[in-house]
Amino acid sequence: MREAVRTGHLAPGTRLPSSRQLATDLGLARNTVADAYADLVAEGWLTARRGSGTLVADRMITRPILARSAADPSGDFCHDLIPGSPDLAAFPRAAWLRATRRALAAAPDDALGYGDPRGRPELRAALADHLARARGVHVSPEHILICAGVSHGLQILSGVLAGRGARNVAVESYGLDRYWGLLAAAGLKTLPLPLDTHGTDPVPPVGTDAVLLTPAHQFPVGTALQRDRRTAVVEWARRTGGLVLEDDYDGEFRFDRQSVGALQGLDPDCVVYLGTASQTLAPGLRLAWMALPPTLAEEAVAAKGQIDSCEVVSQLTMAEFITSGAYDHHVRAARRRYRDRRDALVTALLQHAPKVRVIGTAAGLHTVLGLPPGTEQRVLQSAARQGLKVAGLSRYRHDRSLSAMADALVVGYGVPSDAAWPQALSALVRILS
Ligand SMILES: Cc1ncc(COP(=O)(O)O)c(C=O)c1O
């Protein structure tokens, strides 16, 4: 905190979170935080006034953040608004530990052996039930494959597709280049799909073997695939024998209404469903799952390998976490947290930067902010100078895509802790206004 005040990352007058709130965010005892606050007040870094909380003192700034050189945008950032991660300070450590204890106590000894390459049966059974309930996915546990992230799942599927002689995979014009890279590494060509004001047109050109989509919440643009487009892509798959790869990375986070069910429910025989714990819990768990069409299951299991490459204690814990109801409880709380953050962002922009348009459905952990034409790079530079890490929409564009979207920022509001979020939001709004 001394360093943050000294360098201007914490501006004079900034209100700090209560000691109770910060202790929760940091996983410390409240007294530890209260003692640290008391020391910093005694040293003159902070001021504490009854009724107005703890504030950064006025006179300590020696190097204001605005003085950072524009040529050094990679300097130390104080707020991370890059999409792709939830609030890691909100990981349910205590509940996860309880689930681990219960799961290990109940697990048979052979659970700790090499095991079934599909993953632990307890987790596959729990997921089949949970996914049916929460996402309308229709799958039996024997056709679920546990993997270490959607990335790992796509790596497995790329191998299967290439092994079947596939050559072309259609992808959305905007997305994650790490996925396009995985497909390319297996010798598959990625063909970007056209994009219009309703989002991606998902029916791929002749000669396409599979299509990779984010139907519930297009990444990063944020649109939900419309009903007629959902049926059109499934009909394409039935007609041609093609495969739809559905990346449902944040499907449980829809805020304005009940989330739209997974595409997989329309036809489990031609859609592979990919889900992940990376957005609901933490990417570091490296825990994800695929619901496979029965005709693909054997090849996918063989492509994963002869032994399960995913760590078993996390799998057992996740199974227990789901069946005990702790996962639902956590997702409900997380949904409230991120909905409140999104609402705060929309309200602040309306008030202070009315020219900035919020694009996409009210869902997930990120949103897209449409900027006036020609301003994206300038806004990014200004954000970097002020210690704000944020991405421009152009960063996610496929290099062969025909249509370019207008200038925009992709703002991930999941990463900051509850205590850091208000400051991250004010920094963003200051730049945009
Ligand atoms: C579009 C998309 N898909 C999937 C994921 C999750 O990937 P993984 O499960 O490999 O962590 C993310 C997370 O950033 C994402 O943005």
Side-chain angles (χ1 to χ4, degrees), residues 84 118 123 127 145-158 176 178-179 182 212 246-249 272-280 282-292 304 308-311 314-315 318:
R118 290 173 297 182
L123 179 55
L127 281 169
L145 189 67
I146 305 302
C147 45
V150 168
S151 338
H152 183 210
L154 279 179
Q155 207 171 7
I156 293 170
L157 294 171
S158 307
L176 285 177
R178 65 172 188 258
Y179 293 160
L182 283 174
L212 171 62
E246 175 178 24
D247 176 3
D248 195 39
Y249 65 104
V272 180
Y273 174 90
L274 294 115
T276 177
S278 290
Q279 303 277 301
T280 47
L285 290 178
R286 303 317 297 138
L287 199 52
W289 40 88
M290 290 196 275
L292 297 161
K304 186 181 169 192
D308 188 5
S309 47
C310 300
E311 187 267 315
S314 296
Q315 291 189 49
M318 185 70 181

Side-chain angles (χ1 to χ4, degrees), residues 104-376:
L104 267 182
D109 291 344
D110 70 5
L112 299 166
Y114 283 114
D116 187 328
R118 290 173 297 182
R120 282 303 303 171
E122 296 89 336
L123 179 55
R124 290 185 285 112
L127 281 169
D129 184 52
H130 170 77
L131 294 173
R133 207 166 20 85
R135 304 294 300 125
V137 169
H138 186 76
V139 66
S140 76
E142 64 187 303
H143 297 133
I144 289 184
L145 189 67
I146 305 302
C147 45
V150 168
S151 338
H152 183 210
L154 279 179
Q155 207 171 7
I156 293 170
L157 294 171
S158 307
V160 171
L161 285 167
R164 285 181 163 196
R167 307 173 81 108
N168 300 312
V169 178
V171 297
E172 293 161 317
S173 308
Y174 284 76
L176 285 177
D177 58 0
R178 65 172 188 258
Y179 293 160
W180 303 328
L182 283 174
L183 295 164
L188 299 162
K189 191 165 166 190
T190 53
L191 310 173
L193 292 163
L195 188 87
D196 59 25
T197 46
H198 302 298
T200 303
D201 178 353
V203 176
V206 176
T208 306
D209 302 287
V211 51
L212 171 62
L213 297 172
T214 45
H217 189 223
Q218 203 283 332
F219 185 88
V221 178
T223 45
L225 198 61
Q226 290 174 335
R227 188 147 44 117
D228 53 341
R229 292 187 167 186
R230 286 163 64 90
T231 41
V233 69
V234 170
E235 272 161 20
W236 163 82
R238 284 184 184 146
R239 198 175 59 247
T240 63
L243 209 56
V244 181
L245 315 180
E246 175 178 24
D247 176 3
D248 195 39
Y249 65 104
D250 69 358
E252 306 205 45
F253 292 134
R254 177 89 191 218
F255 309 135
D256 51 349
R257 60 188 167 97
Q258 181 81 20
S259 56
V260 179
L263 198 62
Q264 193 266 7
L266 292 182
D267 193 339
D269 289 333
C270 56
V271 180
V272 180
Y273 174 90
L274 294 115
T276 177
S278 290
Q279 303 277 301
T280 47
L281 285 164
L285 290 178
R286 303 317 297 138
L287 199 52
W289 40 88
M290 290 196 275
L292 297 161
T295 50
L296 200 73
E298 211 174 299
E299 286 159 87
V301 175
K304 186 181 169 192
Q306 288 183 352
I307 53 170
D308 188 5
S309 47
C310 300
E311 187 267 315
V312 85
V313 178
S314 296
Q315 291 189 49
L316 293 168
T317 303
M318 185 70 181
E320 168 64 25
F321 207 63
I322 294 172
T323 49
S324 67
Y327 185 66
D328 278 343
H329 178 79
H330 171 73
V331 168
R332 271 198 303 276
R335 202 180 287 134
R336 277 195 300 275
R337 163 180 288 111
Y338 300 127
R339 187 194 54 214
D340 289 351
R341 290 189 187 184
R342 189 179 192 280
D343 288 350
L345 173 61
V346 172
T347 308
L349 289 173
L350 266 179
Q351 237 175 346
H352 303 289
K355 283 194 191 143
V356 174
R357 282 172 310 119
V358 179
I359 298 169
T361 39
L365 308 188
H366 74 274
T367 192
V368 173
L369 304 181
L371 301 172
T375 57
E376 185 175 307

